[in-house]
Amino acid sequence: MDDLQKKAMMTPSQAVKSDGSENKNQYDCQKCKDKGFILTNLPDFDDDGEQRTWPNGTPKFLETLLDCECSKKRQSSHLMKFSEITDDFKKMTFTNFSLEGKHEMIHGAYQCAVNYFKDFDQINSSRHNSISLLGQPGTGKTHLLTALANNLIYKKQISVLYFPFVEGFNDLKDDFNLLEEKLTKMKRVQILFIDDLFKGRETPTQFQLEQTFGVINYRYLNHKPIMISSEKTVDELCDIDEALGTRIYQMSRDYTVVLKGDRKILNHRLAGMASV
């Protein structure tokens, strides 16, 4: 009876061959056999850092459960599905962001995103825990913030939700049944990434403005980080709604880059146009 109960509790990946031997191909992780942890022996140290011994002089060890590296991979995979980052955007990294021949402002935006990733654990709960890349189209703002999001998910197991401003609000406008659920996710996720904030028209609709302010204000009051890309500058965000613009700036003050200048130099889509 005990054997039957044990078999009933096994996952499919823990099945055995008909001859009773384990089939290694059944496990996604051979190291922990899909348990998510590994039992290992670690030295038992005293307060002075010396390893304790048994009366016969044999070194003393403690059986310890350690998370297997596969558990983080599973968690990252789950977080990536939740993030709503598209398959193409999942390929964006800091490594494949080209800096060759780029203006120093773009180098500055790149360094800002890298620094934010390095500093995140220290600033996560602070008032200035967010990042904004603003200004000129075609300067790589979306690529850099998506690379940042991918790194936070895969390397730190941080939950990120990607919200493309225009497409996101079009979806919500077409299906109000999604509105409350989506806004709740946007408020509560660890990091909210709003891409192309206020893109598409000179001024946002009242609906867009009210919902955006509600989400940002919730995150502002609860010290929850945001990542913002926008063609608007800080002043232009404040012109649209000063309460919203100043909140975004205060949250991302230490990690804000505004890219403004000659589009022929800054916009990578216009590379080579200066000679046309």
Side-chain angles (χ1 to χ4, degrees):
M1 181 62 73
D2 289 343
D3 289 342
L4 289 175
Q5 288 177 336
K6 289 179 181 178
K7 288 181 180 179
M9 295 174 66
M10 286 183 177
T11 63
S13 63
Q14 293 173 315
V16 294
K17 293 181 180 179
S18 57
D19 64 0
S21 62
E22 291 183 350
N23 184 350
K24 290 186 178 180
N25 293 329
Q26 295 286 345
Y27 296 108
D28 292 326
C29 179
Q30 299 299 326
K31 198 170 182 180
C32 70
K33 295 184 170 55
D34 296 344
K35 295 182 179 70
F37 61 86
I38 299 169
L39 183 63
T40 188
N41 290 320
L42 296 179
D44 181 14
F45 294 110
D46 61 24
D47 294 338
D48 296 324
E50 299 292 332
Q51 186 173 0
R52 294 187 175 94
T53 59
W54 294 103
N56 64 1
T58 303
K60 201 171 185 180
F61 291 86
L62 296 174
E63 283 193 337
T64 306
L65 285 177
L66 299 177
D67 287 335
C68 181
E69 60 186 24
C70 75
S71 64
K72 288 188 176 181
K73 292 180 180 178
R74 288 198 193 105
Q75 185 182 3
S76 296
S77 178
H78 172 75
L79 291 174
M80 183 56 75
K81 290 178 182 177
F82 171 84
S83 74
E84 301 183 21
I85 293 174
T86 65
D87 288 341
D88 281 344
F89 278 21
K90 291 174 186 176
K91 301 172 186 176
M92 292 181 177
T93 66
F94 290 130
T95 303
N96 61 27
F97 183 83
S98 176
L99 288 170
E100 185 177 356
K102 296 295 176 65
H103 192 277
E104 62 181 12
M105 280 193 286
I106 297 177
H107 282 259
Y110 172 89
Q111 195 59 53
C112 179
V114 171
N115 289 345
Y116 182 88
F117 175 76
K118 292 178 179 178
D119 298 343
F120 181 77
D121 293 337
Q122 287 72 47
I123 66 172
N124 182 21
S125 300
S126 72
R127 165 53 65 212
H128 312 298
N129 59 3
S130 303
I131 181 171
S132 296
L133 300 184
L134 310 173
Q136 196 78 34
T139 50
K141 301 185 300 295
T142 293
H143 185 135
L144 287 172
L145 290 183
T146 304
L148 174 58
N150 291 337
N151 273 274
L152 288 166
I153 291 170
Y154 283 121
K155 296 182 179 179
K156 293 184 181 291
Q157 289 72 54
I158 300 295
S159 177
V160 180
L161 179 63
Y162 175 70
F163 184 78
F165 186 80
V166 175
E167 297 87 345
F169 272 111
N170 284 340
D171 291 342
L172 293 179
K173 180 184 65 177
D174 294 337
D175 189 350
F176 276 94
N177 292 326
L178 292 174
L179 183 60
E180 185 174 350
E181 177 185 352
K182 187 72 171 185
L183 293 177
T184 298
K185 288 173 68 175
M186 292 172 70
K187 289 177 180 178
R188 296 182 179 177
V189 68
Q190 282 181 279
I191 299 180
L192 175 64
F193 174 13
I194 302 180
D195 192 22
D196 273 331
L197 177 65
F198 297 145
K199 174 84 171 178
R201 49 187 296 153
E202 190 173 339
T203 57
T205 66
Q206 192 64 28
F207 172 74
Q208 290 174 330
L209 191 56
E210 289 177 357
Q211 303 307 325
T212 302
F213 179 81
V215 169
I216 297 296
N217 190 51
Y218 178 91
R219 300 188 67 85
Y220 173 83
L221 294 174
N222 290 278
H223 289 214
K224 299 178 76 66
I226 55 173
M227 295 164 49
I228 301 288
S229 79
S230 178
E231 294 175 10
K232 310 294 184 184
T233 65
V234 175
D235 281 339
E236 289 167 342
L237 291 175
C238 291
D239 287 342
I240 292 172
D241 188 282
E242 189 166 341
L244 177 62
T246 53
R247 280 166 171 76
I248 291 173
Y249 176 69
Q250 186 177 8
M251 295 170 75
S252 57
R253 185 189 68 189
D254 295 341
Y255 302 89
T256 293
V257 176
V258 180
L259 300 126
K260 296 294 285 187
D262 187 341
R263 66 169 62 94
K264 294 179 183 179
I265 296 175
L266 293 177
N267 192 326
H268 71 86
R269 301 184 188 98
L270 298 178
M273 185 178 175
S275 60
V276 175

